[in-house]
Amino acid sequence: MEAGVGMALQSRAAGFGSGRRRGAMCDAQRSSRIGSLRVADQLASPAAAVRARGSKPLAPLRAKKSSGGHENLHNSVDDALLLKRKSEDVLFHMNGRCIYLVGMMGSGKSTVGKILAEVLGYSFFDSDKLVEQAVGMPSVAQIFKVHSEAFFRDNESSVLRDLSSMRRLVVATGGGAVIRPVNWKNMKKGLSVWLDVPLEALARRIAKVGTASRPLLDQPSGDPYTMAFSKLSTLAEQRGDAYANADVRVSLEEIACKLGHDDVSKLTPIDIALESLHKIESFVTEDTVTDSQTESQAQWIQTL
């Protein structure tokens, strides 16, 4: 519990994203904007990479002091307790199923995923990192450069296939993992969560940190924000329907509206993780009720 509280304090200290939203962001009814090959024999097995990573437990995050003093500390502890209680409610219905986080690059899948893994007592994996380990290269960008995007996608599918045979994992997937049906086949063995972030927020965040590590966005020249927003818009058009396959959608715009923010950058990873748990709970409890009703109907039919 202490580790979970410490993790929350650090996560609370930094807001998520950096994009300013304008106009009617709080219209919860608005429609979404978004509007298999194997690893080469000579490469390390993705399953071996998973086992090696799995032997290293997630290090608990520690508290950070913030300018808000005791009030922020109190709020952070409250958030940590809310997270822990909600995670216990969710665990009751999960039955060890894995959670797969999907969404555009830069949407915070790894940050939120680590929080979820900590409070649920799950192990956390980043599928991009597992591909890098399996291939023996330090970055996705280098894999794209030396080999190809198709080569990376092949390895990514192999990693997700291996992960799907395991239990009690939170997996942050790559932004393009959703484009292959075989990946959905494997992710549907668990529960998928789409982190839906406004493109403006993504573009500003990515422009701020640079695109060198993101081969699909890296451009030789031009304004970083403009180039990132243009490419993200294209990718969103191509992948929008695929992201919508997720079992759960977590909209940062809707969270900001609930909390009275006009800017998604004011959200913290804790805010997003807590909303994710609420959405997951709604999905798994509904799923449990449906299964129970189906079983009851089957039993009734047998008595006829």
Side-chain angles (χ1 to χ4, degrees), residues 224-303:
Y225 170 80
T226 302
M227 301 299 289
F229 182 80
S230 176
K231 185 61 178 178
L232 285 168
S233 297
T234 300
L235 291 173
E237 288 291 331
Q238 295 170 351
R239 300 173 179 175
D241 291 341
Y243 288 134
N245 284 325
D247 298 311
V248 170
R249 173 177 173 259
V250 177
S251 167
L252 267 65
E253 286 186 337
E254 292 180 6
I255 303 172
C257 179
K258 286 183 189 178
L259 298 179
H261 300 319
D262 60 354
D263 183 351
V264 298
S265 71
K266 294 178 181 178
L267 298 176
T268 68
I270 289 287
D271 295 329
I272 302 164
L274 186 56
E275 179 69 9
S276 298
L277 287 173
H278 279 290
K279 291 292 184 74
I280 290 171
E281 182 185 29
S282 295
F283 178 82
V284 295
T285 53
E286 180 180 342
D287 195 34
T288 300
V289 170
T290 301
D291 290 344
S292 177
Q293 290 174 340
T294 301
E295 183 179 352
S296 296
Q297 290 172 353
Q299 292 175 346
W300 178 75
I301 292 172
Q302 289 176 355
T303 63

Side-chain angles (χ1 to χ4, degrees), residues 101-124:
L101 298 177
V102 302
M104 294 287 283
M105 59 188 79
S107 59
K109 299 185 293 289
S110 292
T111 301
V112 174
K114 289 175 182 177
I115 296 173
L116 293 176
E118 174 118 3
V119 297
L120 291 169
Y122 276 29
S123 297
F124 172 78

Side-chain angles (χ1 to χ4, degrees), residues 116-189:
L116 293 176
E118 174 118 3
V119 297
L120 291 169
Y122 276 29
S123 297
F124 172 78
F125 291 102
D126 182 319
S127 65
D128 282 354
K129 297 299 183 185
L130 291 177
V131 172
E132 292 166 3
Q133 292 175 29
V135 175
M137 290 189 173
S139 69
V140 173
Q142 187 172 357
I143 296 173
F144 271 57
K145 182 178 180 179
V146 174
H147 297 284
S148 64
E149 180 180 357
F151 178 85
F152 171 80
R153 298 293 174 205
D154 296 343
N155 283 270
E156 179 179 59
S157 294
S158 294
V159 163
L160 291 174
R161 181 196 62 217
D162 289 339
L163 291 172
S164 71
S165 67
M166 303 179 188
R167 292 172 61 80
R168 300 180 63 84
L169 306 179
V170 175
V171 181
T173 67
V178 297
I179 63 178
R180 286 192 171 184
V182 67
N183 293 341
W184 279 112
K185 178 182 177 181
N186 289 318
M187 290 191 290
K188 286 297 183 180
K189 295 177 183 177

